[in-house]
Amino acid sequence: MAYDYAKYLRAGKIPHIWCPGCGYGIIMKSIIRAVDGLGMNKDDLVFTSGIGCASRLPGYIDANTLHTTHGRSLGFATGVKMAKPELNVIALGGDGDMTAIGGNHFIHACRRNIDITCLVFNNYIYGMTGGQYSPTTPKAARATTSPYGNSDNQFDIAQLAIGAGASFVARSTTYHAVPMEKLIKQAIEHKGFSVVEIIAGCPTGYGRKNKLASPAGMIEWQKANSVNKVQWDKMTAEEQAGKFPIGVLHQEEKPEFIEAYDANVGLS
Amino acid sequence: MAYDYAKYLRAGKIPHIWCPGCGYGIIMKSIIRAVDGLGMNKDDLVFTSGIGCASRLPGYIDANTLHTTHGRSLGFATGVKMAKPELNVIALGGDGDMTAIGGNHFIHACRRNIDITCLVFNNYIYGMTGGQYSPTTPKAARATTSPYGNSDNQFDIAQLAIGAGASFVARSTTYHAVPMEKLIKQAIEHKGFSVVEIIAGCPTGYGRKNKLASPAGMIEWQKANSVNKVQWDKMTAEEQAGKFPIGVLHQEEKPEFIEAYDANVGLS
Amino acid sequence: MAKAEKIEIYVNLCKGCEICVELCPVDALEMKDFKAAVKDLDKCIACMQCELRCPDFAIEVYKQ
Amino acid sequence: MAKAEKIEIYVNLCKGCEICVELCPVDALEMKDFKAAVKDLDKCIACMQCELRCPDFAIEVYKQ
Amino acid sequence: MAKEVKFLQGNEAVCEGALYAGCTFYAGYPITPSTEVAEILAARLPKVGGRFVQMEDEIAAMAATLGGSIAGRKSLTATSGPGMSLKMENLGYGYLTEVPCVIVNVMRGGPSTGLPTGPGQSDIMQAKWGTHGDHPAVALTPSTVQEQLEETVRAFNISEKYRIPVILLTDEIIGHMREAVNMPEPGDLEVVDRKRPTCDPKDYLPYKPEADGVAPMADFGSGYRYHITGLNHLEDGFPSNDGKLAQADEIRQEKKITDHYDEIVVVDEMDTDDAEILVFAFGSTARSAKEAIKMARAEGIKVGLFRPLTIWPFPDKHLQKYKNKVKRIIVPEMNLGMAILEVKRVMEGTVPSIEGINQIDSEPITTITILNKIKEGK
Amino acid sequence: MAKEVKFLQGNEAVCEGALYAGCTFYAGYPITPSTEVAEILAARLPKVGGRFVQMEDEIAAMAATLGGSIAGRKSLTATSGPGMSLKMENLGYGYLTEVPCVIVNVMRGGPSTGLPTGPGQSDIMQAKWGTHGDHPAVALTPSTVQEQLEETVRAFNISEKYRIPVILLTDEIIGHMREAVNMPEPGDLEVVDRKRPTCDPKDYLPYKPEADGVAPMADFGSGYRYHITGLNHLEDGFPSNDGKLAQADEIRQEKKITDHYDEIVVVDEMDTDDAEILVFAFGSTARSAKEAIKMARAEGIKVGLFRPLTIWPFPDKHLQKYKNKVKRIIVPEMNLGMAILEVKRVMEGTVPSIEGINQIDSEPITTITILNKIKEGK
Amino acid sequence: MAKTQIRLSGSGGQGMITAGIILAAGAAVFEGKKAIQSQSYGPEARGGASKAEVVISDEEIFYPKVMAPDVLVALTQEAAEKYSKDLVDGGILILDDLMVKEAPKGNWKIYTMPIIITAAEKVGKAMVANVVTLGALNEICGLVSTETLEKAVLSRVPKGTEELNKNAILAGIELAKACKAEGGCCCGK
Amino acid sequence: MAKTQIRLSGSGGQGMITAGIILAAGAAVFEGKKAIQSQSYGPEARGGASKAEVVISDEEIFYPKVMAPDVLVALTQEAAEKYSKDLVDGGILILDDLMVKEAPKGNWKIYTMPIIITAAEKVGKAMVANVVTLGALNEICGLVSTETLEKAVLSRVPKGTEELNKNAILAGIELAKACKAEGGCCCGK
Ligand SMILES: Cc1ncc(C[n+]2csc(CCOP(=O)(O)OP(=O)(O)O)c2C)c(N)n1
Ligand SMILES: Cc1ncc(C[n+]2csc(CCOP(=O)(O)OP(=O)(O)O)c2C)c(N)n1
Ligand code: SF4
Ligand code: SF4
Ligand code: SF4
Ligand code: SF4
Ligand code: SF4
Ligand code: SF4
Ligand SMILES: [Mg+2]
Ligand SMILES: [Mg+2]
């Protein structure tokens, strides 16, 4: 029997709006397998998102879904979670949504260590608006607003999250569909703020302009350039150059925000 | 001869508005000695700030000074610097200004590595508005909005800056008036984005509510709890607990944003 | 080696991205009229790569 | 040990925060009518701590 | 039994009103002169099972406030000018998605940072037009500390009843002054809770209006799984590019407010029956206006007070009664002329003279200033 | 010699206008349907020694735009509804500190995220009232691609001349359509540069107005060291709590615009001399209005077009000419009724019927719709 | 020619928008006609079905969009179905025979021709299907002179592709001629 | 008493605002009078000179601020100078003798008394200077009954400090009595 994704999908909403070969469909399937694998009750499950291609995801999932304004996914998620801490809140968005316009909410959610799972779909570009460079677009890459190649430096989203205080930080790619599913599960189970950065191909906005191969080629690229964290730590700086580590990159025990608050003000 | 601060001060603007014992006057003096020590031309010197007690500083300095909106110091500074890269731009603000409302501009300026010197006056509180807790207010500390003690986790501003990609990151305190001066000099001379976090006492907004001693007591506290980076690295986690490192915490060579841009688009 | 009993491709869902075809390790799939199609079911080793990575819920592999 | 020739305190600038008084290692300063004042110039070792840390440009130490 | 009398600051009375109305969530970012609202609720909310959070900025504060309401709590945020400007985008989201909540704007002086500790009434027009796009708006303007409490309760009621963010547009004077307040006991004031769905979850349409133009709203996590989006959407909540339906939905949203004008718009009219002169005044300015009118009446001048407690929707219908009736309207306001534009629009040239008193010098407009204007005879 | 004719997209024409006006700095954050402005300038600016930067959000974009201008460059930013709402706080800072720059708002459909790829005209009122506090405002509404270019130049000119941020309020239709444009050569169009001080730096007072109400503005780094603050300030630029002076300064700022109404406000009036019906239309909607009027005239109906190219300041003076003259005014606009409120205010009941055509269904208002309304005879 | 409303449609990458721009620019810049080109976008600006619209007229054009096209070109089935709905009675419908399996029904003059195949096989580059389209469209509708079309095309294509594009125009003209000759379909079907 | 306008001023930490609130609350809550308290803030809300204003009246109070005080209390020199400017002709000025070295000049009834010293030395806690002030002020102006003042004070002070505060009120009353007896100054100066 093939996997029954339909259980968590809203009837009649598929096909989704994503372009042919967009990596986001792969992520959506991993998310569904993760929440299904954890046996999560759809009534207690909340997805929030901002604006962008990635942020269209919640519309397809049969849960409590909140498609907010650009960058503000985590702000809304914080309100929902504080009002009803018993809900499982997954906040997601693109690299632009979460780390450009939404960067402040991202670092503060990390700092607070509020028990929200944050999924950053990193396709190295502003997909929805037609391919402008984002804070993660590689140096020298072409985007509609970097006709001479990108001059800007890049965020390492995972390092940013760690620097800001997140207590669980992981990275995966659409090539690693099954490990990604496991990381998402771990992130959801982690008590505190958890970040999973997921590298995904955007053939329309990024691939075309950067003479990257087909959608499949972008997936192969992810495979070729990602290195498991365990192995990464053994590599020299030269060996690491141009590659990125995947897996759980950081995990620590730290007081969760609402628990700490409730204990402090006498609510628990 | 006593030090001639007047050379860099605007005539008739002193006494400043800061409370008795506020650490900011100490910082202002270190800044003046730093720019004076570097022999900087006041005509080429720009100070930008946001809103808060710290952000009132530019009004006192005889330079090109820009007191902007809350949190936006670095946004304005980026415009000024890109329009005239030959100017020396120092952007400053309080812990709230730079890391609460201004957090996004802070991390993006770090990422871009634009050649601006950023001074964060960290008094662990929103001073100007009367003492609400900020992203750096210590756990359990009292503030007007944490009547039960602060439940929130804290930013380590230096770690945040490093995670975001800043190429020079240092920390000092008002106790260390002379080392602070040197760090500010180094920061100004560094090509790229440089951050100096300066711990300062706010007797009015923070001290009073937290049964901290006098203004001098707050300075003594800084002395007692800061550890030089070199020594810090040799300490065990237990020894480090409750203390913080000072000095240059991170420094790297990295392409400066405007230089990279100009080279890229054919402007240089 | 595992085998597939059936590979279901929903042409109404398939957007023709070729991911399944290009990632199939044994070349069991092909493109036909801009949609994925089974080229040779016998070749299939039921590795599930195609199903896992199809972004459009368009391909399902039933193991034997 | 260095000595100070003169310690100038500008009472119009002094806000009476006591930083200088409390941080002076040799107890050469004191508060008088809520302002800093020199208690004993002879004691002063011209360490400049008071001048450096006065937030209000209110105290100047002239070394001998 | 006599009511308890408390001596409260205006901002404190807002908190009492919010608690009375059943508010259990506050998300904010501090700004003078609204900070007391946050400070008091930080202490009080936990005592009623509520939570308080200080967000990283006003944008996040507005987002969290809406999020809290979506999960079922009556939610409040308070701010002032610069913070209000920052909230505009998410406020617009609140309108389009019809999420109830209350936003307190304690108006201060000046544009930009301006005169932050002084009072102002310059955000009147922003309260209606600040965010982009079409949307209905409700804003209330109390004049006394008692009204700070009562209008906060009313703000929550309107917000819950009509699924709309409501702005309490007060100012630094009322926010910071202290006056005696008769504390309402449970039952004294009406408290409205939003309609929640009772249908089978699978039949739930989050934007299918009932007769009053308002759809029941389910709390997230209550078994009604649905979608909320800031894109134009259909009755089922899902986005649609159908412009005709989008237009119909936005007209429905405007109408849910305009159709209930009589319930929403409250105006205090004093001495207007025989008035030849009308003073249109709101908020703290209305206090001086009232006194000036009493003094003028004592001198036999036929002047009356028109004091809107609801400034948006603008009290067109109430004001139209005075068309072709009064000879002058005086509009004192702490701005360079905002409400007066609306008054002119409504009166359609039927009043020989409509005159403003515009003062933005950080001082309240005094009784004498208004009295003199009344007497000026123009 | 015949002018060069180029076939340009509306957003492209904005870029041509900006470059013609001498713009050398752009800071923005992408948003549909304004992105082409950024994309084109990213390529073009370096060729004229200019720089382009994509900031982290619209707030930073507005800040950097102002910063660039303060350091002496003519600066531009472009956005659309949600981004415009986010810019409001810093835009207000630009007003109070009197920093020239141009903000392009390519209006799209709906409040909040709305109908992002469709057109709208619902940000008209926001352009005047979006930020808190009192301030003057200038906004221009081109109707053709040629005007996109020319009005951008004019926007820069007004901005430089009067030290004020100017909004180019265009819409998705004009922004995205392509038309032939007669390219102006150097000298064809006036290009104004801000007044810069010539006095001794130590005598420089950055807010001391000259006869025109405007003070010369020094570039940062040009030897004139001065202070800029969003607090109310004195002529020397330093903050002051003196409310009386703050009030005087804000009135001066309003007046620097209202006193130059004749220079700033441009209106295109067609067939109005004998008109009994006036169509008040702006932006893309005015195109259909023009055609409808031509068709109606052909049928002998006395109808004329009133097309403001400057929507703020509102063309009160131009419009007043038609008081007690026309019998009807029709106001077609892609919103639920905004400009019509202003028209009503100005006409003060002297026009028997003022009627709106309000359409927010993501489609332009057609010629036929307007023609039918004209013929309706009410 | 008073006013002609033309719609060019297909899927994201087929260059229909460029084709629309070239056609309108040709009419406006080289023949002094009035012309407006416009297009519509999906939810924000991304891939999918797309259309370009062109209005050409001797007189000023006010309303800039196509209300009901006189001519529709559709290079995909989806486009043909979606955009033919408001094609005027008696209008012209030009379809690609490969991509459009089933022509929409209506009282139109329908031309079905192998545009894509011709571009790929005869001209030698699938990418120039849009220029082939222009050649065919203009031959059928006589919107601008062939010189104008050539100038307009050459002013908007990358250097070095001039010959290719000229051939594409000619191939399009040929297709149209054949098609007209055979009464609407030159695919031999 | 138609309407009395009172201004209490000093520096940030002296509790003048609390004193104003207590006085107004007493009048309003315990005596059914109309009373309004207000205060002003520096640039945003921080330290420095501060003042509280109280209006007490038998009738409704409209304009909430003090336009020209009938009574001014000033516990610092700066406050005395800054806030006495609009004290009404014939008004009452109450000063602390330690902090106010030089009384501002005007046609006022001036009472100079050792409020701070009394609080610190006689009552035993400098912190209660504001309550001493209230005792003295009320004795001089007869704004509310002594019982009301006591109730009002006790309803706003921390538990366990009741005796201290009662003593402070009494000490204030004594000061005022002595002062009145000696014609305005009881400092022996
Ligand atoms: C306030 C605001 N600014 C800008 C936009 C335009 N916008 C929509 S999505 C987007 C970025 C999309 O990039 P990303 O977040 O990386 O998501 P992706 O589409 O790549 O999944 C932008 C800039 C907007 N909708 N709102
Ligand atoms: C948009 C906006 N929000 C809030 C405020 C109010 N405000 C002014 S300063 C400040 C924080 C001050 O704290 P910090 O930045 O740490 O500076 P400090 O006063 O401690 O030096 C706040 C919240 C404001 N001026 N503008
Ligand atoms: S534009 Fe990119 S991210 Fe967006 S749907 Fe298409 S491929 Fe995916
Ligand atoms: S409130 Fe704190 S930070 Fe502000 S001036 Fe006073 S002591 Fe300094
Ligand atoms: S991966 Fe899926 S959508 Fe892509 S070609 Fe294969 S079946 Fe079709
Ligand atoms: S299951 Fe594996 S082997 Fe079989 S078709 Fe799919 S990818 Fe090829
Ligand atoms: S440190 Fe300066 S301000 Fe403080 S008491 Fe000493 S001299 Fe006065
Ligand atoms: S210089 Fe040193 S020793 Fe002398 S008074 Fe100052 S702190 Fe004391
Ligand atoms: Mg992206
Ligand atoms: Mg601070």
Side-chain angles (χ1 to χ4, degrees), chain B residues 24 53-54 93-97 121-128 134 136 202:
Chain B
Y24 291 168
C53 297
D95 42 324
D97 198 59
F121 292 24
N122 186 1
N123 60 2
Y124 302 129
I125 204 84
Y126 296 148
M128 177 65 92
S134 88
T136 58
C202 168

Side-chain angles (χ1 to χ4, degrees), chain E residues 17-340:
Chain E
L19 293 167
Y20 188 96
C23 167
T24 58
F25 185 58
Y26 180 96
Y29 186 77
I31 184 166
T32 306
S34 76
T35 36
E36 295 83 4
V37 177
E39 292 168 350
I40 294 165
L41 287 177
R44 296 282 297 277
L45 278 173
K47 306 219 185 279
V48 297
R51 292 192 181 87
F52 167 93
V53 67
Q54 203 170 277
M55 297 299 287
E56 51 274 18
D57 60 21
E58 286 87 351
I59 296 173
M62 189 71 235
T65 302
L66 292 168
S69 178
I70 288 166
R73 291 187 185 245
K74 291 188 184 176
S75 303
L76 181 77
T77 187
T79 189
S80 185
M84 202 66 199
S85 289
L86 287 172
K87 284 182 194 291
M88 283 303 149
E89 192 203 3
N90 279 340
L91 179 59
Y93 180 87
Y95 289 129
L96 185 68
T97 55
E98 300 179 72
V99 176
C101 67
V102 175
I103 301 102
V104 180
N105 177 358
V106 187
M107 291 185 283
R108 64 189 218 181
S112 192
T113 314
L115 292 164
T117 57
Q121 294 183 316
S122 303
D123 306 347
I124 296 294
M125 295 302 258
Q126 185 197 39
K128 168 86 179 133
W129 304 114
T131 192
H132 65 283
D134 292 284
H135 61 86
V138 180
L140 312 181
T141 48
S143 290
T144 66
V145 176
Q146 184 81 38
E147 285 178 357
Q148 293 271 104
L149 188 159
E150 290 168 4
E151 292 300 295
T152 301
V153 175
R154 201 162 73 87
F156 271 104
N157 288 349
I158 294 169
S159 141
E160 291 282 317
K161 193 157 183 177
Y162 301 108
R163 288 188 63 171
I164 186 169
V166 173
I167 299 174
L168 188 82
L169 207 46
T170 178
D171 63 56
E172 190 275 339
I173 296 167
I174 315 273
H176 276 164
M177 64 185 248
R178 285 182 173 82
E179 256 180 341
V181 173
N182 293 311
M183 299 300 290
E185 279 160 34
D188 284 355
L189 302 179
E190 188 192 13
V191 169
V192 178
D193 289 333
R194 66 189 73 168
K195 291 187 290 191
R196 289 179 166 85
T198 51
C199 63
D200 189 308
K202 71 178 182 323
D203 301 327
Y204 179 53
L205 292 171
Y207 294 98
K208 187 177 162 59
E210 296 187 341
D212 58 357
V214 182
M217 177 171 168
D219 300 351
F220 264 29
S222 68
Y224 292 83
R225 299 187 301 272
Y226 69 106
H227 188 57
I228 302 181
T229 177
L231 288 160
N232 280 101
H233 43 257
L234 305 181
E235 289 186 344
D236 62 8
F238 292 99
S240 156
N241 272 322
D242 187 325
K244 294 271 173 284
L245 293 177
Q247 169 163 322
D249 190 52
E250 286 182 30
I251 290 171
R252 193 256 313 156
Q253 291 197 28
E254 293 270 358
K255 273 172 59 70
K256 80 181 175 186
I257 300 304
T258 50
D259 282 356
H260 298 94
Y261 175 98
D262 290 335
E263 258 183 82
I264 295 168
V265 179
V266 174
V267 174
D268 170 23
E269 288 157 290
M270 182 188 87
D271 290 346
T272 55
D273 283 351
D274 63 342
E276 289 169 1
I277 307 174
L278 207 61
V279 180
F280 181 106
F282 56 92
S284 64
T285 304
R287 302 176 67 100
S288 306
K290 205 168 199 171
E291 186 169 35
I293 287 163
K294 286 189 191 268
M295 290 165 79
R297 277 276 165 186
E299 297 185 31
I301 302 174
K302 290 190 172 159
V303 53
L305 175 69
F306 187 100
R307 182 172 74 91
L309 279 111
T310 310
I311 193 98
W312 300 113
F314 201 75
D316 286 40
K317 208 167 113 183
H318 287 80
L319 200 51
Q320 276 158 359
K321 288 183 313 213
Y322 302 97
K323 272 173 125 175
N324 296 311
K325 230 191 111 194
V326 298
K327 302 211 167 57
R328 293 172 66 203
I329 299 182
I330 298 168
V331 187
E333 43 184 340
M334 291 188 284
N335 59 49
L336 291 182
M338 294 187 178
I340 195 174

